[in-house]
Amino acid sequence: MTIVAARRYLAGKVTDPALDLQRCSLPAVEGEFDWIGVADPTPAELALLQDRYGLHPLAIEDALTRGAPAKAEAFGSMLFVMACTAALQDEEGIAYGQTAIFLDRNFIITVRQGSARAHTALRQQLEANPQRLAQGPDVVLHGLLDYLADGYVPLLDKLDLAVEEMEEGAVAGFPDQARIRRIFRLRRRLRRFESNVGHMEEVAGKLASASLPAIDKKARPYFSDIHDHVRHSLGRARALNDTLGSIVEVASLLEQNRQGAITRQLAAWAAILGVPTAVAGVYGMNFDFMPELHWRHGYFIITGLMLTICLGLYVRFRRIGWL
């Protein structure tokens, strides 16, 4: 188990920057609480925290389950929150992780798995504001969830650029097989993102409205703000998914229009070329009784007639937009 931090606070200030989890006693003074952060622990390592802080075994089981959905459940005086993390893995891939949070009046424990985004910056930010931190560990819970929700924004920004690129490419021409596979692959990833963030929206809404242990009523408006942030990210993901679905449809319509224009052009040229072809075909049958064959100016008359008809057809097709 990697102990990222184990600190004790009193009145918003650090009183013990490196708690010994094997020997330390529980916080007993009013306004004193512990903030423990661990990453990728084993069951045996979590058992130490369970024994020390009296964590519920069902919550421990959820914390060790990879891919568990986001949730918020009360276990007596303790609140257990499972939060989903998401980060861009490669150009368009999404790497998911989870952060299990155990909250009580005198401690908050975070168990981070599958996420490389540590909470160090958040801890420094909160410690720089002792008055805010002195309000209790529910302030830390709000900061953590807000920190995780903010992590969705850069991911969606990059996906937004990718979808915009696909839109521009669809207008230029019908997507090839590689681009179509890319579209459907990205849609599949966005659907999974919607599912995970949808659970986070439910958690934030529950924290903002329900009466839960270890959360002061005055802190609920802060969780409403998180609910708005998560809902906004969820709306962006849904909009991107809808846009990807419309790209193929729009590209198909544009391709049908282009093919229709080509078909009309071919039909127009076939009609124009059909006139001299028909006339030349008649004179190529070598009939004996064709008086016009002996006209002195017959060649020029027939040639001029063919050119006049062809020119008239060309002008007509140009006017109706076939050429």
Side-chain angles (χ1 to χ4, degrees), residues 1 3 21-22 43-54:
M1 172 174 61
I3 300 177
L21 299 179
Q22 297 282 356
E45 291 167 339
L46 264 189
L48 171 64
L49 295 175
Q50 181 181 5
D51 294 339
R52 174 61 58 185
Y53 291 96

Side-chain angles (χ1 to χ4, degrees), residues 125-202:
Q125 178 184 351
L126 289 176
E127 289 178 352
N129 189 358
Q131 293 181 348
R132 174 74 174 143
L133 194 58
Q135 297 178 22
D138 54 349
V139 171
V140 179
L141 175 64
H142 165 264
L144 283 168
L145 295 180
D146 190 48
Y147 182 76
L148 298 180
D150 287 343
Y152 302 150
V153 176
L155 182 152
L156 290 170
D157 288 341
K158 292 184 179 180
L159 293 181
D160 200 355
L161 293 175
V163 172
E164 183 178 352
E165 177 191 349
M166 293 180 190
E167 280 187 295
E168 294 176 355
V171 173
F174 189 77
D176 55 15
Q177 290 187 2
R179 187 176 292 269
I180 292 176
R181 284 196 296 269
R182 182 187 179 194
I183 290 174
F184 282 96
R185 183 170 58 248
L186 188 54
R187 289 196 71 185
R188 185 168 58 251
R189 291 171 177 172
L190 281 171
R191 281 195 298 269
R192 183 182 176 189
F193 180 83
E194 287 180 38
S195 176
N196 291 340
V197 177
H199 290 296
M200 279 292 293
E201 183 187 23
E202 295 175 3

